[in-house]
Amino acid sequence: MHIVLLGAPGAGKGTQAETLVRETGLLHVSTGDMIREAMQQGTEAGKQAKAYYDRGDLVPDGIIIRMLLDRIAQPDAAKGFILDGFPRNVEQARALDAALTERGGGIDRVLYIKVSREELLDRLSGRWLCRRCGAVYHEKFQPPRTPGVCDRCGGELYQRSDDTRETAENRLRVYFEQTAPLIDYYRERGKLVEVNGEQPVEAVGRDLLAALRAGGPA
């Protein structure tokens, strides 16, 4: 099976990918890891990607797709793959479909872990760290007993710039601008399955596995 896993930052995509891989034996293909591996191995596509990385530019879709096709041609992908981090927009999805079609394949199912914007904001913002021991807190899900003070060592708690609500709002704005059309793209093709990502982690995993085994869109 060829699977695409979609989910906004904070949706729990990484955790669920681990569950799916463990239960199905499919290969987890993270595009970020794939690009770094190709550059380290010095493949032709990796060399091309490195040139863009060194300039601080985004790696073009065509190079990423060539890397992906090379990766899924390896023996450990024989049972199929779960693609995480690509495609990010409709243009990439179309390019991916065309490339897979040329090889006689295609995307079988797109699993979308759906979480409301407010819930995502709560998850992404509100994290605090201890300056002294590094302990992690969350003002809603795991607050310290005394605001601003570490339970473990009494150290001062601080918030990184990327853990603020403003930063989280910007990350989500960019994601939904790019991804909303992509969700519609796969829904129109009968490949999209939406799973409620606001359930307990175990329940989300069960629903994702059920969607794979059902053999069709929700």
Side-chain angles (χ1 to χ4, degrees):
M1 293 188 72
H2 299 161
I3 307 300
V4 170
L5 186 61
L6 294 179
K13 195 152 49 74
T15 298
Q16 296 303 333
E18 292 178 2
T19 299
L20 292 174
V21 168
R22 184 173 62 251
E23 295 293 330
T24 65
L26 298 175
L27 175 70
H28 180 207
V29 181
S30 166
T31 51
D33 292 344
M34 180 182 67
I35 292 171
R36 286 186 289 273
E37 181 179 335
M39 290 192 295
Q40 290 172 357
Q41 293 177 348
T43 66
E44 186 58 35
K47 292 175 182 176
Q48 294 175 357
K50 189 175 186 304
Y52 287 92
Y53 256 55
D54 290 346
R55 295 197 301 266
D57 296 333
L58 293 175
V59 179
D61 296 345
I63 294 176
I64 295 177
I65 289 174
R66 285 201 298 277
M67 288 182 184
L68 173 62
L69 295 178
D70 289 343
R71 183 67 186 88
I72 65 177
Q74 296 178 25
D76 59 352
K79 291 181 66 174
F81 61 81
I82 298 171
L83 188 55
D84 176 5
F86 191 90
R88 292 182 180 274
N89 54 51
V90 171
E91 290 73 21
Q92 291 178 349
R94 288 174 176 153
L96 177 62
D97 284 346
L100 291 175
T101 298
E102 286 184 4
R103 294 201 175 189
I107 297 299
D108 296 303
R109 194 93 76 259
V110 178
L111 304 178
Y112 173 41
I113 304 174
K114 187 175 183 179
V115 180
S116 69
R117 184 183 294 267
E118 280 305 309
E119 175 66 18
L120 291 168
L121 284 171
D122 283 344
R123 294 181 185 182
L124 291 171
S125 61
R127 186 171 69 160
W128 292 78
L129 307 175
C130 176
R131 292 189 187 277
R132 184 182 301 169
C133 71
V136 180
Y137 299 89
H138 192 285
E139 59 191 36
K140 179 176 180 179
F141 302 112
Q142 191 179 358
R145 288 191 293 269
T146 302
V149 180
C150 178
D151 294 348
R152 297 182 187 176
C153 70
E156 176 191 2
L157 301 185
Y158 74 101
Q159 190 170 48
R160 298 189 319 190
S161 61
D162 56 351
D163 290 329
T164 65
R165 193 171 184 88
E166 181 180 3
T167 300
E169 286 176 344
N170 185 60
R171 289 177 66 191
L172 293 177
R173 178 185 58 78
V174 172
Y175 176 83
F176 284 113
E177 284 177 357
Q178 293 180 343
T179 308
L182 180 62
I183 292 168
D184 291 339
Y185 173 86
Y186 283 123
R187 181 182 287 114
E188 290 168 0
R189 285 154 180 77
K191 298 182 184 295
L192 187 79
V193 180
E194 289 188 2
V195 169
N196 178 8
E198 298 186 29
Q199 308 174 84
V201 172
E202 296 78 8
V204 176
R206 286 195 299 270
D207 284 355
L208 290 170
L209 286 169
L212 287 184
R213 292 164 179 160

